[in-house]
């Protein structure tokens, strides 16, 4: 039946239509059957029988006739109702089939398996289908009680009551926490099919409308406030803030009663006192976070404390109270500290204590946890307050104005099973699932809804309280980060045997942790000493062997020395010859520039010779140019240019003579250059 229900959810929300309308729901239930049978004709009575068989819903012939006349269906013409056969129009069939075949639940499970191949696909499919079916069933019970308080609930279905293995819980939480917006919407659709199912089976035919759901008064439990300020981790904080934002958008009234305010202050004070009971100055918060298995107040403190210079508990307390104050302001949470009844009245006191006793018995029996009467008394006071404020107005969800929002599953279950009226205690996801039908829905809204479906893992490991006690003891022996990590890891390997015994007090745990840490460090020192002794022994043997080897080498080296000296001398001679050759080549390159200047010098000498001889010869271009220059008027630019031009041969002549002298004739300079080149090649060749 799981698959049938999930297919129905896919068809109901294929158009993203969350309008709660009984006639629309009826039509979509019928459409789901034609999707399954490939749109073959069905008779009216066959259709009614199939609906009963697959969904356990009762439809009448009149309801079928009313629905099939809305244009989405095609029927055969017949004068007899019994012979009337129906099918979806081709266009409607193609529209719905196209929307539900892609990205359905089976598709998301397959994609999740691809990313988590360490699980078997059939195991994943079976566990997730069973889990979501139980969520669906639980929501049916919850919504039925909200709509009709006269329904008798013998046992409220709760997934946490089932004996799930650690592996199954890992698969479920892994699938829920998997980052995929379309998957979150699909889970939301399956979970909220329960509301439609409840409306179909409710003979009163109630319709939800946002106008009838606004301006209700919701009192927040302490656990909601602590989640919203981040005590239970950033993920739960973000999801809870999304939930509170939706309440604000719907214009709901949020309150904190004086009983919750008192419990909140006591809770903060209690945990700070527990932290301050033993010195935490030496405890390394990074080590604590490495081994912490749960997100609670102590883990939150160490998360806040890391990398802080000032980590005083007074500052931490102020930080917490500031967050609570900011939360109230942001989401317009009002304090309702009115005295609606006398808490000291004997009759009132007896009623509250009776409720508290019932809650405590219910929790200790189902959760198998130690009694906590003080917490149950606070719950009882809030429930008594809500009963007083309702003043008998709780015929249904529309009539009732007051609710208590809590994440305590067992308090909610106790209220559902013991309360004869509209439930007082609601989970955040319950009201949110209704609000999301009428408000803008985002991927974060669906993600927030899904986060409230997570299952607590039964494998708690070491509690944060005990972890802090153990670290307190270890830190008295060593504050070294690496050593603390090593000691805690060793304790985990032995299962904290002898340290975390039921008979041990807090002081016993600290003392035994100290003794274990001391023993572990002494053991490590002894081990290091053994290793050191072994290394010393090996070193002595190595020294002896090395001395013998050196003596042998000395004897062999004496015979080889002459050969090596000859080889060294030969190599040295070859290197020196190479150096001299390279240096001479560089010197020749240096001289070669002077050789280029000799033709320039000769040309300049010819120029000077022709300047003073063969003045009347027409082939003497120097004389012709000289006569032209002399004929120019004084002071003209041309005359001045010609004067400067005569300096060029002289400059070239003098420059060439200097270069020829320095690079070819200056003996001392050439010796310096040769020595310089030899030194350069000596460095390069000998490297």
């Amino acid at each position: 039946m799981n698959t049938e229900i999930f297919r129905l959810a896919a068809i109901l929300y294929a158009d993203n239509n969350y309008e709660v309308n009984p006639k629309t729901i009826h039509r979509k239930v019928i459409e789901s059957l034609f999707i399954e049978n490939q749109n073959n004709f069905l008779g009216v009575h066959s259709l009614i029988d199939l609906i009963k068989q697959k969904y356990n819903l009762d439809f009448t012939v009149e309801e079928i006739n009313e629905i099939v006349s809305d244009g989405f269906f095609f029927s055969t013409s017949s004068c007899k109702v019994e012979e009337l056969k129906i099918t979806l129009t081709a266009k409607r069939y193609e529209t719905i089939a196209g929307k539900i075949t892609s990205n359905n639940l089976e598709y998301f499970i397959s994609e999740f398996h691809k990313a988590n191949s360490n699980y078997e696909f059939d195991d994943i499919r079976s566990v997730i289908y069973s889990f979501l079916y139980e969520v669906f069933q639980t929501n049916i019970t919850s919504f039925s009680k909200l709509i009709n308080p006269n329904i008798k609930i013998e046992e409220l279905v709760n997934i946490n009551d089932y004996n799930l293995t650690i592996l199954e819980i890992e698969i479920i939480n892994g699938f829920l926490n998997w980052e995929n917006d379309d998957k979150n919407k699909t889970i939301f659709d399956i979970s909220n099919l329960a509301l439609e199912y409840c409306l179909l089976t409710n003979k009163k035919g109630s319709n939800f409308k946002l106008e009838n759901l606004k301006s209700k008064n919701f009192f927040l439990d302490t656990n909601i406030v602590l989640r919203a300020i981040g005590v239970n981790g950033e993920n739960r904080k973000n999801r809870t803030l999304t939930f509170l934002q939706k309440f604000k958008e719907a214009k709901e009234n949020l309150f904190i009663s004086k009983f919750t305010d008192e419990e909140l202050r006591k809770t903060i004070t209690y945990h700070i006192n527990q932290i301050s009971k033993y010195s935490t100055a030496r405890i390394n918060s990074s080590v604590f976070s490495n081994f912490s298995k749960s997100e609670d107040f102590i883990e939150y403190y160490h998360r806040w404390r890391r990398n802080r210079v000032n980590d005083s508990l007074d500052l931490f307390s102020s930080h917490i109270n500031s967050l609570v104050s900011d939360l109230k302001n942001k989401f317009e949470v009002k304090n309702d500290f009115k005295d609606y009844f006398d808490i000291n009245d004997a009759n009132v006191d007896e009623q509250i204590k009776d409720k508290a006793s019932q809650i405590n018995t219910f929790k200790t029996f189902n959760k198998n946890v130690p009694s906590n009467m003080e917490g149950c008394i606070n719950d009882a006071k809030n429930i008594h307050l809500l009963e007083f404020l309702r003043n008998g107005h709780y015929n249904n969800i529309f009539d009732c104005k007051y609710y208590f929002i809590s994440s305590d599953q067992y308090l909610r279950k106790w209220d559902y099973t013991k309360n004869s009226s509209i439930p007082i205690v609601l989970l955040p996801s319950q009201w949110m699932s209704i609000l999301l039908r009428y408000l803008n829905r985002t991927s974060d809204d669906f993600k927030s809804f899904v986060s409230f479906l997570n299952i607590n893992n039964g494998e708690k490991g070491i509690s944060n309280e005990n972890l802090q006690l153990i670290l307190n003891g270890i830190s008295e022996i060593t504050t070294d980060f690496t050593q603390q990590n090593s000691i805690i890891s060793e304790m985990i390997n032995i299962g904290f045997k002898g340290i975390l015994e039921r008979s041990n007090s807090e002081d016993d745990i600290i003392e035994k942790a100290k003794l274990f840490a001391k023993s572990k460090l002494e053991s490590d020192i002894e081990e290091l000493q053994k290793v050191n002794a072994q290394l010393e022994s090996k070193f002595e043997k190595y020294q002896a062997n090395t001395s013998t080897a050196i003596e042998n080498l000395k004897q062999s080296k004496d015979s080889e020395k002459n050969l090596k000296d000859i080889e060294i001398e030969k190599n040295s001679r070859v290197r020196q010859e190479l150096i001299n050759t390279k240096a001479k080549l560089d010197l020749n390159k240096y001289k070669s520039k002077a050789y280029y200047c000799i033709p320039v010098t000769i040309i300049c000498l010819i120029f000077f010779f022709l300047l003073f001889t063969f003045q009347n010869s027409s082939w003497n271009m120097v004389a012709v140019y000289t006569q032209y220059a002399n004929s120019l008027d004084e002071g003209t630019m041309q005359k001045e240019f010609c004067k400067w031009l005569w300096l060029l041969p002289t400059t070239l002549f003098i420059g060439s003579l200097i270069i020829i002298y320095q690079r070819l004739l200056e003996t001392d300079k050439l010796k310096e250059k040769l020595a310089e080149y030899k030194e350069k090649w000596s460095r390069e060749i000998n490297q």
Side-chain angles (χ1 to χ4, degrees):
M1 186 172 177
N2 297 1
T3 307
E4 311 287 352
I5 291 295
F6 300 155
R7 184 185 294 110
L8 177 58
I11 293 172
L12 275 171
Y13 305 110
D15 300 320
N16 287 325
N17 181 12
Y18 292 92
E19 184 68 29
V20 182
N21 185 310
K23 185 176 179 181
T24 302
I25 300 170
H26 287 171
R27 173 170 55 79
K28 288 182 176 288
V29 169
I30 296 171
E31 287 176 340
S32 70
L33 299 179
F34 289 107
I35 294 296
E36 184 178 351
N37 78 344
Q38 286 75 50
N39 206 28
N40 292 323
F41 279 94
L42 284 173
V44 172
H45 292 285
S46 297
L47 195 58
I48 292 172
D49 292 340
L50 273 175
I51 294 171
K52 180 67 175 177
Q53 176 188 335
K54 290 184 177 296
Y55 305 127
N56 199 27
L57 296 172
D58 294 317
F59 276 52
T60 64
V61 173
E62 289 74 19
E63 287 174 328
I64 299 292
N65 286 331
E66 182 182 0
I67 292 164
V68 299
S69 62
D70 62 3
F72 288 111
F73 295 90
F74 176 79
S75 59
T76 58
S77 56
S78 174
C79 60
K80 295 182 179 180
V81 171
E82 289 80 8
E83 296 177 2
L84 185 66
K85 292 191 174 183
I86 307 164
T87 185
L88 283 173
T89 63
K91 182 179 179 181
R92 183 61 179 168
Y93 175 78
E94 290 173 3
T95 300
I96 300 175
K99 288 181 178 179
I100 68 169
T101 51
S102 62
N103 292 10
N104 54 21
L105 182 61
E106 195 80 12
Y107 167 80
F108 291 119
I109 293 175
S110 176
E111 290 298 300
F112 176 72
H113 176 252
K114 289 178 184 177
N116 298 271
S117 55
N118 50 316
Y119 304 129
E120 293 293 331
F121 176 78
D122 289 339
D123 291 340
I124 296 176
R125 187 179 186 278
S126 174
V127 169
I128 293 174
Y129 267 69
S130 298
F131 166 72
L132 291 178
Y133 184 71
E134 296 302 338
V135 170
F136 167 76
Q137 291 281 63
T138 301
N139 284 357
I140 288 177
T141 311
S142 301
F143 288 131
S144 296
K145 185 74 171 172
L146 281 171
I147 294 172
N148 185 1
N150 297 320
I151 293 177
K152 301 297 181 184
I153 299 178
E154 299 298 329
E155 181 179 2
L156 183 67
V157 179
N158 189 328
I159 191 67
N160 287 319
D161 292 340
Y162 288 82
N163 295 319
L164 295 171
T165 66
I166 293 172
L167 177 62
E168 289 171 335
I169 293 175
E170 284 181 356
I171 290 173
I172 292 169
N173 286 344
F175 185 69
L176 294 177
N177 295 327
W178 172 38
E179 292 289 342
N180 187 301
D181 295 338
D182 292 330
K183 176 267 302 180
N184 290 335
K185 179 186 178 300
T186 298
I187 293 176
F188 174 78
D189 291 343
I190 292 170
S191 303
N192 284 276
L193 171 62
L195 182 54
E196 278 78 1
Y197 192 92
C198 178
L199 290 172
L200 289 175
T201 55
N202 180 38
K203 299 305 180 183
K204 294 183 178 181
S206 302
N207 271 329
F208 283 115
K209 292 183 180 179
L210 182 59
E211 302 78 57
N212 298 329
L213 300 172
K214 283 184 178 180
S215 302
K216 294 190 179 297
N217 303 304
F218 292 91
F219 285 75
L220 302 180
D221 196 0
T222 301
N223 49 50
I224 298 295
V225 178
L226 292 178
R227 278 192 181 196
I229 63 174
V231 169
N232 298 114
E234 285 299 310
N235 185 50
R236 286 186 175 181
K237 172 187 175 181
N238 293 333
R239 304 287 72 77
T240 305
L241 293 181
T242 300
F243 150 74
L244 291 175
Q245 182 62 37
K246 270 308 180 245
F247 272 60
K248 184 178 178 181
E249 289 175 20
K251 296 181 170 49
E252 308 289 15
N253 302 313
L254 296 176
F255 295 96
I256 289 180
S257 71
K258 69 175 183 178
F259 308 120
T260 297
D261 183 73
E262 181 183 355
E263 182 183 30
L264 182 61
R265 294 181 185 279
K266 285 183 177 180
T267 300
I268 295 171
T269 302
Y270 168 78
H271 286 294
I272 289 178
N273 288 340
Q274 286 296 103
I275 294 170
S276 65
K277 193 173 182 180
Y278 299 97
S279 174
T280 60
R282 294 185 300 271
I283 294 178
N284 190 307
S285 290
S286 295
V287 175
F288 184 94
S289 297
N290 285 346
F291 293 96
S292 174
K293 297 296 182 184
S294 57
E295 294 178 320
D296 59 11
F297 207 97
I298 298 177
E299 196 276 335
Y300 178 71
Y301 165 70
H302 283 285
R303 197 169 2 116
W304 171 87
R305 178 177 178 251
R306 275 185 304 184
N307 304 321
R308 280 186 178 272
V309 176
N310 185 357
D311 60 355
S312 72
L313 289 173
D314 288 338
L315 181 62
F316 178 63
S317 177
S318 299
H319 171 71
I320 292 287
N321 290 322
S322 174
L323 290 178
V324 173
S325 179
D326 291 343
L327 180 75
K328 290 180 179 179
N329 292 334
K330 181 176 181 180
F331 296 102
E332 301 174 5
V333 181
K334 304 178 185 68
N335 293 324
D336 189 346
F337 295 166
K338 294 180 183 177
D339 292 321
Y340 292 100
F341 50 84
D342 185 2
I343 197 72
N344 297 316
D345 181 86
N347 186 38
V348 172
D349 183 60
E350 183 180 353
Q351 292 180 44
I352 290 173
K353 286 181 177 178
D354 180 57
K355 285 188 178 69
S357 178
Q358 291 181 41
I359 295 169
N360 188 56
T361 301
F362 186 87
K363 286 186 176 183
T364 52
F365 176 78
N366 286 279
K367 291 179 70 176
N368 193 24
V369 295
S371 172
N372 179 17
M373 269 307 288
E374 185 174 358
C376 294
I377 286 174
N378 280 317
D379 291 334
K381 287 178 179 177
N382 277 312
I383 289 173
H384 189 81
L385 170 65
L386 270 292
E387 288 176 343
F388 180 88
L389 291 173
R390 284 182 171 187
N391 193 27
H393 298 291
Y394 42 73
N395 291 328
N396 53 46
I397 193 173
F398 311 109
D399 181 51
C400 186
K401 295 283 187 185
Y402 296 92
Y403 298 92
F404 188 59
I405 297 291
S406 174
S407 61
D408 188 337
Q409 288 269 9
Y410 288 93
L411 178 63
R412 189 273 304 231
K413 184 175 179 181
W414 172 85
D415 176 55
Y416 270 59
T417 54
K418 300 299 181 182
N419 195 348
S420 59
S421 64
I422 287 290
I424 291 174
V425 182
L426 296 181
L427 295 177
S429 59
Q430 289 179 274
W431 201 262
M432 190 175 184
S433 66
I434 298 174
L435 292 181
L436 288 181
R437 298 169 182 275
Y438 305 102
L439 302 174
N440 292 330
R441 289 170 295 278
T442 67
S443 58
D444 195 54
D445 293 322
F446 292 132
K447 183 177 180 181
S448 180
F449 174 84
V450 170
S451 73
F452 287 106
L453 302 181
N454 275 314
I455 304 174
N456 290 328
N457 193 328
E459 187 183 30
K460 295 292 184 184
I462 179 175
S463 69
N464 283 343
E465 291 85 354
N466 287 336
L467 177 59
Q468 177 148 299
L469 293 174
I470 288 171
L471 277 174
N472 192 285
I474 293 173
S475 64
E476 291 188 27
I477 304 300
T478 175
T479 57
D480 182 76
F481 176 87
T482 305
Q483 289 179 339
Q484 287 187 356
N485 260 308
S486 175
I487 293 168
I488 288 285
S489 297
E490 186 66 24
M491 287 181 175
I492 291 173
N493 290 337
I494 65 170
F496 298 96
K497 187 176 180 181
I499 300 171
L500 297 179
E501 304 291 345
R502 288 188 178 182
S503 58
N504 288 345
S505 65
E506 292 181 349
D507 291 332
D508 291 337
I509 293 173
I510 293 174
E511 192 61 33
K512 291 189 176 185
K514 283 169 58 179
L515 292 174
F516 184 91
K518 185 178 180 182
S519 174
K520 177 71 168 57
L521 291 178
E522 289 174 350
S523 174
D524 289 345
I525 291 171
E526 289 178 5
E527 188 65 29
L528 288 172
Q529 288 174 341
K530 289 180 182 178
V531 172
N532 186 52
Q534 291 174 356
L535 289 174
E536 286 179 353
S537 175
K538 288 180 179 179
F539 181 71
E540 289 173 358
K541 290 180 181 179
Y542 172 76
Q543 272 188 323
N545 293 334
T546 304
S547 298
T548 304
I550 290 172
E551 288 298 324
N552 294 333
L553 284 171
K554 282 181 179 179
Q555 293 176 5
S556 63
K557 281 182 178 180
D558 289 338
S559 61
E560 295 175 2
K561 185 175 181 182
N562 293 331
L563 292 173
K564 285 189 176 181
D565 289 342
I566 294 170
E567 186 69 24
I568 290 170
E569 185 179 351
K570 182 180 178 181
N571 290 338
S572 178
R573 190 166 57 250
V574 171
R575 282 198 299 271
Q576 190 60 44
E577 288 178 2
L578 181 61
I579 290 169
N580 291 337
T581 302
K582 293 279 189 181
K584 287 178 181 179
L585 287 172
D586 283 351
L587 185 64
N588 288 335
K589 289 180 182 178
Y590 176 75
K591 288 180 177 181
S592 65
K593 293 182 179 179
Y595 294 136
Y596 297 134
C597 293
I598 293 174
V600 175
T601 304
I602 293 171
I603 292 171
C604 289
L605 288 172
I606 294 171
F607 176 81
F608 293 139
F609 176 75
L610 293 175
L611 184 63
F612 298 104
T613 59
F614 302 105
Q615 292 293 310
N616 297 321
S617 299
S618 60
W619 53 266
N620 187 350
M621 297 306 298
V622 176
V624 172
Y625 179 76
T626 303
Q627 292 172 6
Y628 169 73
N630 290 332
S631 66
L632 295 172
D633 296 333
E634 289 292 338
T636 62
M637 185 177 68
Q638 291 85 351
K639 184 77 171 181
E640 294 300 322
F641 177 77
C642 289
K643 288 180 180 180
W644 284 106
L645 191 60
W646 289 115
L647 295 176
L648 179 61
T650 306
T651 304
L652 290 173
F653 179 72
I654 295 171
S656 297
L657 288 176
I658 292 172
I659 292 172
I660 291 170
Y661 173 76
Q662 288 179 341
R663 299 199 175 216
L664 295 178
L665 303 175
E666 193 175 4
T667 307
D668 293 338
K669 181 72 173 180
L670 293 175
K671 288 180 180 178
E672 288 179 7
K673 279 291 177 183
L674 182 61
E676 180 184 328
Y677 293 141
K678 284 182 179 181
E679 184 180 353
K680 181 187 78 169
W681 285 109
S682 178
R683 284 198 305 270
E684 293 189 12
I685 291 172
N686 290 324
Q687 280 182 349

